[in-house]
Structures are given as structure tokens and as C-alpha cells.
Amino acid sequence: MNPEPIGPDIELQPAKPSTAGMTTKVVKGTIWTLSGLSIPIFFSLFATPIVTRLLGAEGYGLFILILLIPAYLSFADFGMNIASTKFGSAAFAEGSPEKEAKIVRTAALIALLSSLPFAAAMAIFSPTIARVANVPPDRMIEASFALKLAAIVFVINFLNFVFNTPQLTRLRMDLNILVFSGVRIIGIIATPIVVYYGGGVTGAVGVALAVSIITLAGHIIVSSRLLPELIGFSIDRASVRPLLKFGGSLVVAGIAAVLLHHLEKFVLTKATSVETLGYYSIAATFAAMLTLLSGSIVQSLMPAFSQLQSREDGPALNALFSRGIRLTLVWLIPAVTFMVLVGWPFFTYWFSADFGRESTGPYYIIIAGLFLNVLAYFPYAALMAAGRSEIFAKLYWIELVPYILLVWWLASSFGAKGAAAAWSIRVIIDAIVLFYLGNRVANVSYRQANIGYSLLAAFLMSLPIIGLIYFGTLNLPIIITAFVCAAAYALICLKKILHADEVRWFLAKVLKRDAG
């Protein structure tokens, strides 16, 4: 007897899954993922100012630092979060649920064995880590204990990103997001409550621990419903070598990547203070909202690209790649404009005048880098799906030494603005290189049609930013100009930039939710 499906009209174990309607599945998965990432941010907009006021800038900076330190060891799962998705997707495309289940269990075991030594070291040497991170002496005990809790979160989160694989391979982003974001929202709400009643930084990290444990339980339950074979103890010995080979390259890349992605924060703390890190982190967090949609798309694209590449369907792969970038450019340009306009008022009136003064400059600089960084998600996903993880190992290590020198100079000389500038310069160069490698290695490329109209549309959306620079502050004429330019921009996109079939497809497949 076949197990009952979790959702309507969804077969849990198709013999040979079809790639028909892949674009529709990716878009629907993207919408779910975007919603699941956006709703927690909505709650964070209310919770974070409360937490910053309760902890103070220094306490909030310490909280961010404690959660950031495990991020420096994000390679410690031996790349199994991505490897399980890639190889699990290939097994799913072959119609082999037993193999898929064994791959997930094998990846989970590798991630566990690989991450435990790092977690143990983090817990044992937590006082030393706190001293190296320039934590104030009166907060050393609190920071040390919180780091021990963060070490546990560190391991459990790795398992979360492996046991959600059956949801990703089936593009069931709805289920993945319901588990991940549902529990996360509860954690966001609980954090200021715990801090208010005296939990402090330790209590806030304790909430993160509870969230990670509940999330893992949810992923195991949901994934085992989609893939009943998941419950078991055997592993796929034949997959160990490919998983380790793929993941090994990610480890080599990851050691450099954690420095590339987070070095400016650590240098900023050493060169200035934990308080400055708090200002910078708020700016970086709000700016990162730009990556939500592309990050959501990539979570669906990774298994989709893997399935298309395993079937050697090059035209469908390139069509999906190009459509994703085209649609991303359409929303990205006005999104950047409006995020620039609301930056200073948001930091000033939602947080405080200090945040408005200290966070706005770094925020604008990070936004500039993120424009290209958002687009780089697409060649990144194509290269990973092609199994070419070693490319990132070479690329990141080549970038590392020049970036260390750049970030140390700029952050030491110009504080938070310098750290933001160093980060943006690196990601812009990185994006250019990834698009080149995507074309040469993964055979994916994008060319902008109607370039004249595209430039005109982009110019229109730049006018409000030019007005902001001229007047020095947001005012009513700039707001009116922004909405008028947005209306003209939308008209140009609909008539000259988007393909007619894309407009019809969007209305039919997304708004009406027709089958793909």
C-alpha cells in the first residue's frame, strides 16, 4: 500500500520523476521560500529593536558575535548540506528512493562525525575565543557559557540542512519552509521575552538552541513522510567516496569562504569595538533582504539544475537559468532604489538616532555590492549542480590574501564604512568571475535583449537616488518621483523587456496556480 501524500495531488515516490513543468515548480518553490524568509523578517523588524534596547548596543553586538563565531566553521559539515541535495536529487531523478534515503543518512553521518570535534573545541576553548574576540572583561563568563550553547546549535543545524533533503529534491519548499520558518518565528517572538525577564545574551542563545532542536525533529518527521525509506540505519557505501570528494572541495573552499564572508566583522571588532559591530551588523542584516528572492530561487534551482544536468537537458537548463536572471533584474532595480530611499529613516526611527548615524553609510555601500552579488547566485547554483565544487576552492583561496590585506586596511582606517567597502569590492569581483566560469564550465549564459529599453528603465529608477543625493534627505518630491518612475519602469518592463510568454506564463502559472 502506498503511503498517503502530504499535499494534494502529490505522489511521494514516482517511479521516474518528470522534469516537465520544472519552471513552474521552481517558481512555486521560490514563492514559498521567499514567503518563509520574509515573514520571519517581518517579525524581526519588531523584535530586533526591542532586543537591541534591552541588551544595549554592546550586548547586542556580543550576541551577534557569539552566533557569528560558529559561522567561521561552516565548512565543518564537510559540505554535506549541498552534497546531500546534489546526490539526493540525482537519486530521486533515477526513481530510486532507497538509494536516496541511504545518501541522506550517509551525508548526515559524515556531517555529524566531521562537526563534533569542532563543536567540542568551541566549547572547551570558549574562554579563549571570547578573549581573542575582544569581549569586555565583565562579560567573559556570560560569553563563555553562551559559546558552549552555540556549539550545540552548531552541530544540530548541520543535521537540519541534511535531513531536509527529501523536501528539496521534490521541490516541496512549502513543507521545508513551514518547518524552518514556523519554528524560527516562535524563536523570534520568544527571544525578547526571555531577554526581558533577565535571560540576557545567554538566554537569547538558549532560544536559538531550542529552535534548532525543534526544527530538526520537524524535518525528520516531514522528510520521513515524503521518503519512508529514510527511517533506517544502513548507509550507501558506494556514495561515501563521491560525497567525500564533492564535500572535500567544499571544505577547502569553505575554509577560505568563512574568512571571505565574515572577516570584515572580526577585523572590525578588533580594530574598533563590539558596539561598532552591532551598528554594522544591523546595516548588513537589513541590506541582506535584497538576497531573499535570489536565495529563495537558488534553493529551488539547485535540485532542479541537478536533475536537468543528470538528464543532459542543456536547452532546458539554459532556459531556466536565463529566465531566472531576467526576472531577477526586473525586481532588483526598483528594490535597490526603494531600499536606498528608506535606509536612513528606517535606522533612525525604527532603532535609534545612533543607528541612523552609524549604520546608514555602511548600509549604502553594502547595497552597491549586493546588486551584483544577487545575480551571482545563478552561476553559483549551476556550477554546484554540475558537481564542480573544486572551482570554488581555487577561486576563494586566490581571493583570500588580497582580501585580507584590503579589509584590514579599510576597516582599520575607516571603521564600519571601510569594512563594508572591502566586502562590496570582493563580492563584485566574485560575481564577474562566477558568470565567466558559469559560461565556460556549466554552459549557462545570459544575454539581455532590448538593451536600450533596459538602460532607459534603469535610468528612470535611478532618478530618485539622484534626488536623494542632491537634497541630502528624503522628502515628499523624492517620494512622488519614486512612485512615478516605478510606474513608468513597470510599463517598460511589461511592454519591452519581459517576453510576452513570460507575462502570460506568470499570470497563468503563478496567480492562477495552474499545474505545470
Side-chain angles (χ1 to χ4, degrees):
M1 178 180 295
N2 292 329
E4 293 183 359
I6 291 182
D9 302 324
I10 299 294
E11 294 182 7
L12 301 186
Q13 300 178 32
K16 284 188 175 293
S18 172
T19 58
M22 185 68 77
T23 302
T24 299
K25 295 176 184 178
V26 168
V27 171
K28 289 182 177 180
T30 298
I31 293 172
W32 270 104
T33 304
L34 180 62
S35 300
L37 295 175
S38 300
I39 294 174
I41 287 178
F42 173 79
F43 282 91
S44 293
L45 290 176
F46 294 93
T48 301
I50 298 174
V51 174
T52 58
R53 286 180 172 87
L54 291 172
L55 293 177
E58 182 181 83
Y60 183 73
L62 176 60
F63 174 53
I64 293 297
L65 181 64
I66 289 171
L67 295 183
L68 178 65
I69 288 173
Y72 283 91
L73 301 172
S74 60
F75 58 86
D77 70 335
F78 217 84
M80 290 303 106
N81 60 332
I82 298 177
S84 62
T85 300
K86 172 181 167 45
F87 290 96
S89 296
F92 176 70
E94 296 170 3
S96 179
E98 184 63 36
K99 181 180 179 181
E100 181 187 357
K102 287 184 177 181
I103 286 174
V104 174
R105 291 197 296 267
T106 305
L109 179 61
I110 294 173
L112 180 63
L113 295 177
S114 178
S115 60
L116 277 176
F118 291 95
M122 190 190 310
I124 293 170
F125 297 105
S126 57
T128 303
I129 294 172
R131 281 193 296 270
V132 172
N134 204 25
V135 172
D138 61 325
R139 289 184 175 270
M140 289 294 297
I141 296 177
E142 181 183 28
S144 177
F145 184 72
L147 275 168
K148 290 178 172 62
L149 296 179
I152 304 173
V153 177
F154 169 74
V155 175
I156 296 176
N157 281 345
F158 283 143
L159 297 178
N160 278 323
F161 289 116
V162 173
F163 279 109
N164 70 343
T165 296
Q167 301 158 42
L168 301 183
T169 57
R170 289 155 181 77
L171 295 177
R172 289 302 307 265
M173 304 305 171
D174 53 341
L175 301 176
N176 182 53
I177 285 302
L178 286 173
V179 174
F180 175 77
S181 295
V183 181
R184 185 183 175 196
I185 289 171
I186 296 174
I188 292 171
I189 296 172
T191 299
I193 297 174
V194 171
V195 173
Y196 177 79
Y197 283 102
V201 173
T202 302
V205 178
V207 172
L209 174 60
V211 166
S212 64
I213 293 173
I214 297 171
T215 301
L216 178 59
H219 280 313
I220 292 175
I221 292 171
V222 172
S223 291
S224 63
R225 288 290 307 276
L226 290 171
L227 182 64
E229 292 83 358
L230 181 64
I231 304 301
F233 297 98
S234 60
I235 64 172
D236 186 7
R237 297 179 183 276
S239 297
V240 172
R241 185 181 294 274
L243 284 168
L244 291 177
K245 181 180 178 181
F246 182 86
S249 296
L250 291 180
V251 171
V252 175
I255 295 173
V258 292
L259 293 174
L260 291 172
H261 295 162
H262 303 293
L263 180 65
E264 87 283 3
K265 301 181 184 70
F266 184 78
V267 171
L268 189 61
T269 305
K270 294 289 291 182
T272 57
S273 66
V274 173
E275 183 178 5
T276 303
L277 175 63
Y279 294 132
Y280 179 87
S281 295
I282 289 293
T285 300
F286 186 48
M289 291 178 63
L290 267 182
T291 67
L292 284 179
L293 185 54
S294 286
S296 303
I297 292 173
V298 168
Q299 192 168 33
S300 298
L301 280 180
M302 180 69 181
F305 281 172
S306 295
Q307 293 178 40
L308 291 172
Q309 286 174 341
S310 68
R311 294 172 179 240
E312 299 183 351
D313 195 345
L317 173 65
N318 204 61
L320 189 57
F321 178 84
S322 296
R323 175 164 281 167
I325 294 179
R326 182 183 299 112
L327 296 178
T328 296
L329 280 170
V330 166
W331 69 260
L332 180 60
I333 292 173
V336 166
T337 297
F338 281 97
M339 287 190 71
V340 167
L341 295 181
V342 303
W344 180 85
F346 174 77
F347 293 124
T348 300
Y349 298 110
W350 200 258
F351 289 91
S352 70
D354 289 340
F355 279 94
R357 182 182 63 254
E358 300 294 337
S359 297
T360 304
Y363 168 75
Y364 289 151
I365 297 170
I366 293 171
I367 286 287
L370 280 172
F371 184 86
L372 276 181
N373 180 251
V374 164
L375 300 176
Y377 277 69
F378 294 89
Y380 171 86
L383 289 166
M384 281 294 186
R388 299 301 303 272
S389 56
E390 80 282 357
I391 286 176
F392 298 94
K394 298 174 183 177
L395 174 62
Y396 293 161
W397 279 103
I398 291 172
E399 293 178 353
L400 183 57
V401 172
Y403 181 62
I404 290 175
L405 299 175
L406 179 66
V407 72
W408 190 268
W409 170 51
L410 291 178
S412 299
S413 303
F414 304 101
K417 291 181 181 178
W423 186 89
S424 291
I425 291 171
R426 183 192 67 80
V427 298
I428 289 172
I429 295 173
D430 194 65
I432 295 171
V433 173
L434 286 180
F435 269 98
Y436 172 77
L437 293 175
N439 178 252
R440 289 291 301 272
V441 177
N443 297 317
V444 290
S445 61
Y446 174 77
R447 291 184 179 180
Q448 177 67 50
N450 299 321
I451 187 66
Y453 285 105
S454 299
L455 292 175
L456 174 61
F459 173 74
L460 285 174
M461 288 312 304
S462 72
L463 291 179
I465 297 179
I466 295 173
L468 181 66
I469 296 172
Y470 178 80
F471 289 105
T473 185
L474 186 65
N475 54 36
L476 184 59
I478 294 176
I479 295 173
I480 294 173
T481 300
F483 281 102
V484 171
C485 289
Y489 175 87
L491 183 62
I492 294 174
C493 288
L494 288 173
K495 297 294 185 180
K496 298 297 182 180
I497 298 177
L498 290 175
H499 296 173
D501 66 306
E502 289 176 340
V503 177
R504 290 193 300 270
W505 173 86
F506 180 82
L507 295 175
K509 301 297 184 181
V510 179
L511 298 184
K512 296 183 180 180
R513 300 183 66 84
D514 287 349

